[in-house]
Amino acid sequence: MPQLAPEGQLTTQQIGDIRTEAGAVIPDVTIAYHRWGEYEETSDGSTNVVLIEHALTGDSNAADWWCDLVGPGKAIDTDLYCVICTNVIGGCNGSTGPSSQHPDGGFWGSRFPATDIRDQVKAEKQFLDTIGITRVKAVLGGSMGGARTLEWAAMFPEVVDAAAVLAVSARASAWQIGIQSAQIMAIENDHHWHEGNYYESGCNPSKGLGAARRIAHLTYRGELEIDERFGTQAQKGEDPLGPYRSPDQRFAVESYLDHQADKLVKRFDAGSYVTLTDALNRHDIGRGRGGLNKALESITIPVMVAGVDTDILYPYHQQEHLSRNLGNLLAMAKIVSPVGHDAFLTESRQMDRILRNFFSLISPEQENPSTYIEFFI
C-alpha cells in the first residue's frame, strides 16, 4: 500500500538522485506534492490514481488553482479518484530547484543544472516509485503540464492508462522559443541577477521577473479580451498622453500588467522561472524518436487532446497536429473563448464537460461518451 500524504496537505518526499537527459546529476532530490481522495487498487494492478500536471508558475495545490474541477463530485472527482499533484523539479514550491539548499552548502543558484520536460517526468516517475505507486489511471495537464503529460504517454506507457493533453504542442516552435527566451533575457539582464546567485545577496531580480511576466501574460490572454477590457483607456488618475512620457502615467492595460507582475514576484522565484522556461524551450517529443510524427504515432495509450481557439502561445493548429498524428487518439475538444491560452484554467464550465467526457471514455462504467466534442460559450 503506498505511503501517501495526509489529504490536502503539502508534503515532501525524498526520491534520491536524478540524472538529467543532458548528463548532469541532481543529488538528494525532494519532490513536494498534494493528495486528495483514497487510493484503490484492483487485482490486476489497476489503480484509481489521477496525476495532475501544473503549468509553468503553478504548484502542487491543484484543488486551489483548479478549484472548480478538483474535489468531491467535480469533474476530477476525489470521491472516485486518488488525485496527486506534484511540484515540478526546478520549481520553488517545495521541490528541489535553484532556490533550494545545495548539499555542499549555500543555495543551488547557478549550480542547478538545465532540465527538460523529460527530466521533469523522470523525477515524477521516481517519486511515484518511491511512495509505492506503479500504475496510474490517468495523467492530465495544460501548457507545461500538457508537455509533461505528453512525455508521460511516450516514456511510460506501461504505467499510464490514459492521458489528457491540454493547450500545448508536440514541440516548442521557434516563435515560442523566441518569446520565452526574451523573458529569460529580461531576468538575466536585471543587475540583481548575479548570474543566478542572488539568493545570499539580499537582492532579488524582481524587475527582471516582473518584465518577464508582463511579456508572458500577453501570450496567456487573448488580444480581443485585452482590448475589450482596456482599449486605450488611461489608468484612473493618470495621463499617458501628457507632453512627456512618464512611467507613472500609464494606460490601464499597463497598470493591469504591472499588477500581474507584482503578484508573481511575491510568490515565485526568478531562478525557477528561468529554469522552467528553458525546459519549455527544450520541449520536443520527437527528439531521439525519429521525429515528431513518428514519436506521436508510437504513443499507444489513449490520449484526449484539447486546445483553445484564441490561444496565441500554443495555437489551436498545434493541437490539431497532435490529434492527426497520435497513435491512439481518444477524443478532440476545442475550448472557445476570448480569454486565450489561460482558458484551460478559467473556462470552468467547458473544462468540466471536457474532463467529464474524458473520464467517461476511460471508465467502462460511464455511459454515452462522444469521440469528438466542441464547446462554445
Side-chain angles (χ1 to χ4, degrees):
M1 192 71 172
Q3 300 298 309
L4 295 172
E7 186 161 13
Q9 180 176 310
L10 178 66
T11 303
T12 57
Q13 177 69 47
Q14 302 298 121
I15 67 167
D17 299 352
I18 291 290
R19 178 175 291 276
T20 70
E21 189 180 32
V25 175
I26 309 173
D28 304 324
V29 170
T30 296
I31 295 293
Y33 76 107
H34 281 78
R35 185 270 306 182
W36 305 268
E38 298 303 317
Y39 176 85
E40 296 178 4
E41 183 176 340
T42 62
S43 58
D44 66 355
S46 300
T47 74
N48 68 335
V49 173
V50 173
L51 196 59
I52 296 178
E53 308 288 353
H54 69 74
L56 176 68
T57 62
D59 57 31
S60 60
N61 193 4
D64 177 42
W65 51 263
W66 241 1
C67 59
D68 292 333
L69 300 173
V70 179
K74 297 180 181 179
I76 307 173
D77 193 344
T78 54
D79 287 336
L80 297 177
Y81 305 114
C82 177
V83 180
I84 294 175
C85 184
T86 69
N87 180 227
V88 68
I89 189 172
C92 56
N93 289 288
S95 294
T96 300
S99 61
S100 303
Q101 292 289 322
H102 193 282
D104 295 336
F107 295 90
W108 270 97
S110 64
R111 292 180 288 179
F112 194 81
T115 57
D116 62 20
I117 302 298
R118 296 179 192 180
D119 297 325
Q120 296 173 358
V121 171
K122 181 179 179 181
E124 196 167 38
K125 169 64 162 57
Q126 199 161 312
F127 156 78
L128 291 180
D129 290 343
T130 301
I131 64 173
I133 293 177
T134 58
R135 188 133 164 227
V136 300
K137 185 175 187 67
V139 180
L140 58 97
S143 196
M144 188 183 80
R148 291 163 70 191
T149 300
L150 192 62
E151 279 292 351
W152 260 107
M155 294 173 69
F156 300 111
E158 74 282 1
V159 176
V160 180
D161 291 343
V165 175
L166 314 172
V168 80
S169 57
R171 65 162 173 83
S173 70
W175 188 88
Q176 288 156 356
I177 294 171
I179 201 77
Q180 288 160 181
S181 296
Q183 296 168 44
I184 292 173
M185 184 176 293
I187 295 172
E188 293 180 336
N189 283 345
D190 188 311
H191 69 281
H192 289 312
W193 172 245
H194 298 305
E195 297 183 341
N197 299 308
Y198 57 88
Y199 297 100
E200 294 171 326
S201 69
C203 301
N204 182 30
S206 56
K207 289 186 177 179
L209 179 58
R213 183 61 167 187
R214 290 177 183 87
I215 297 169
H217 198 75
L218 287 172
T219 70
Y220 298 157
R221 312 301 286 204
E223 185 268 337
L224 286 175
E225 185 220 14
I226 293 290
D227 193 55
E228 287 176 2
R229 288 177 65 182
F230 303 108
T232 60
Q233 299 174 58
Q235 178 63 11
K236 186 176 180 181
E238 299 179 22
D239 181 14
L241 301 178
Y244 297 97
R245 168 168 164 73
S246 173
D248 57 3
Q249 301 298 313
R250 301 167 298 173
F251 289 98
V253 68
E254 293 179 273
S255 175
Y256 167 72
L257 292 173
D258 287 346
H259 173 67
Q260 296 299 326
D262 291 343
K263 284 201 306 181
L264 186 74
V265 166
K266 290 175 182 176
R267 70 174 180 84
F268 210 78
D269 172 57
S272 284
Y273 196 97
V274 168
T275 294
L276 299 182
T277 302
D278 181 60
L280 277 173
N281 283 349
R282 296 170 181 236
H283 170 51
D284 183 353
I285 198 74
R287 186 176 61 249
R289 296 172 176 146
L292 293 182
N293 294 347
K294 185 175 181 180
L296 292 171
E297 185 181 8
S298 70
I299 293 176
T300 56
I301 70 166
V303 179
M304 170 181 269
V305 178
V308 185
D309 67 333
T310 55
D311 195 337
I312 298 170
L313 182 58
Y314 290 98
Y316 188 69
H317 69 80
Q318 295 180 339
Q319 290 87 61
E320 290 180 317
H321 170 258
L322 289 173
S323 72
R324 288 194 301 269
N325 291 283
L326 280 163
N328 189 358
L329 179 67
L330 181 68
M332 178 70 178
K334 180 188 288 185
I335 305 165
V336 179
S337 170
V339 169
H341 181 66
D342 274 355
F344 79 92
L345 295 170
T346 65
E347 296 288 358
S348 298
R349 181 180 65 85
Q350 295 185 66
M351 284 304 307
D352 179 89
R353 294 175 64 188
I354 288 169
L355 292 178
R356 287 185 190 277
N357 187 69
F358 170 67
F359 284 109
S360 74
L361 287 165
I362 66 173
S363 300
E365 65 274 13
Q366 300 292 333
E367 297 181 353
N368 300 320
S370 63
T371 57
Y372 187 90
I373 46 178
E374 287 192 1
F375 299 129
F376 298 86
I377 61 169

